[in-house]
Amino acid sequence: MPANAPWEYTLYIPNDVRAVTVARRTLRLILTMHGLIRLTDTAELLAAELVSNAVRHTKGPAALRVRWSAGVLRIGAWDADPEPPEPPGELNTMGEVEEGRGLALVKACADLWGWQPLARHGNRGKFVWCELSAA
């Protein structure tokens, strides 16, 4: 496969907090195998936040999707809850708050982020995503 060829992986995960670690390690392996080690630390942080939100704030299954295309890495988490995510606050005003920092961190670290309603296998839900440019 050419080095710049697009690719995509999807990891389906149960509603279990251990899935966050599985998702992080899987993502690290994917990026390492595709020669994108320089994106790994930030990508792992972003994926962990997205998957953590999906597992902690919803009741059903979830999925991590990782896609590479045209020099952009898109990381997203699907969950079975169609409700929009809470809008992120500004990270620099959150201090030591434990709850609610996830999307603020995503907003601060990613080049772009967003969410959309999504249906998968007859389940309604949402897909929250972010992008990192390789440049």
Side-chain angles (χ1 to χ4, degrees):
M1 177 182 288
N4 58 356
W7 48 259
E8 183 174 314
Y9 292 84
T10 302
L11 174 67
Y12 294 95
I13 55 178
N15 190 285
D16 182 333
V17 294
R18 293 173 292 192
V20 177
T21 301
V22 171
R24 283 181 73 146
R25 291 191 178 158
T26 301
L27 177 64
R28 177 171 284 274
L29 181 60
I30 291 167
L31 296 179
T32 300
M33 296 306 294
H34 284 282
L36 295 170
I37 194 78
R38 67 193 178 284
L39 296 179
T40 303
D41 290 340
T42 304
E44 257 191 288
L45 175 69
L46 296 172
E49 292 300 336
L50 295 176
V51 171
S52 178
N53 282 349
V55 171
R56 287 183 23 227
H57 300 300
T58 68
K59 302 224 181 318
L64 171 69
R65 187 161 48 194
V66 184
R67 185 178 81 204
W68 173 259
S69 181
V72 175
L73 181 69
R74 178 176 272 208
I75 303 163
W78 170 83
D79 66 55
D81 183 357
E83 289 300 309
E86 288 290 320
E90 291 301 318
L91 195 58
N92 59 356
T93 63
M94 300 190 91
E96 298 298 313
V97 174
E98 281 297 311
E99 288 292 310
R101 292 186 62 178
L103 280 181
L105 204 56
V106 169
K107 181 180 164 189
C109 295
D111 296 321
L112 196 62
W113 82 277
W115 78 278
Q116 62 205 60
L118 191 68
R120 174 163 273 164
H121 306 302
N123 296 320
R124 289 179 45 213
K126 69 180 165 295
F127 185 66
V128 183
W129 55 269
C130 62
E131 291 182 349
L132 287 176
S133 175

